[in-house]
Amino acid sequence: MAKNCMHGFTVSEAEGGGKLGTVLRLTYERKAKAHWIRDWLSSHPRIVIPAAIALGTGITVAVFDPIRTFFIKAHIEHTFHVTDNPVYRWFKAQATGLLTTFRHRKDEDLGMEAIWEDRKENIEQIRTWLMETADTFIVVQGPRGSGK
């Protein structure tokens, strides 16, 4: 109200104005709020919450999708398989020869060999399926509890 009353007031020469008097033209600048961003964010949750979720999702995809892609490629190409390592194969060959000399065959093992003898053809079929390229998929179906 004081601004409205003083706006356009003429200060005479006797009161300190110019020769013809000084006309006061009062304007003001808005006070800059210190926390205007925080206030806007807290007062618009219907906009801010979905935008924050979208931003978080975008950042997550940007960070973790290349990592996921790398590990899928590594799994398909068998990059980190220890069994493909020549040093591992050499140690395994040395240990297999060493361990078979100390192993004693039990009569139960011979009985199991006879049971599995009639399934050799099925076992070989499964082995050939498993040796196929990594681009193919194998679906194993059967009743519950059948040992798939």
Side-chain angles (χ1 to χ4, degrees), residues 67-81:
I67 296 170
R68 182 186 66 86
T69 304
F70 170 76
F71 280 109
I72 289 172
K73 270 187 193 173
H75 179 73
I76 290 173
E77 295 171 356
H78 302 288
T79 304
F80 299 118
H81 284 218

Side-chain angles (χ1 to χ4, degrees), residues 41-139:
L41 291 175
S42 63
S43 64
H44 295 86
R46 288 185 178 180
I47 298 171
V48 173
I49 291 174
I53 290 172
L55 181 66
T57 303
I59 290 172
T60 302
V61 168
V63 170
F64 291 110
D65 192 51
I67 296 170
R68 182 186 66 86
T69 304
F70 170 76
F71 280 109
I72 289 172
K73 270 187 193 173
H75 179 73
I76 290 173
E77 295 171 356
H78 302 288
T79 304
F80 299 118
H81 284 218
V82 176
T83 56
D84 297 338
N85 190 339
V87 175
Y88 172 80
R89 281 194 237 137
W90 181 82
F91 274 114
K92 185 175 178 182
Q94 299 302 319
T96 304
L98 186 70
L99 293 175
T100 55
T101 58
F102 296 114
R103 186 172 169 214
H104 298 290
R105 297 196 92 162
K106 297 180 182 177
D107 292 335
E108 296 170 2
D109 291 342
L110 294 175
M112 289 300 287
E113 223 173 84
I115 291 172
W116 287 101
E117 193 67 35
D118 63 330
R119 294 197 163 196
K120 274 193 177 188
E121 184 178 316
N122 294 341
I123 292 171
E124 288 304 316
Q125 180 66 41
I126 291 172
R127 281 190 181 155
T128 57
W129 286 340
L130 292 175
M131 296 306 285
E132 288 181 4
T133 64
D135 296 334
T136 61
F137 290 94
I138 299 172
V139 178

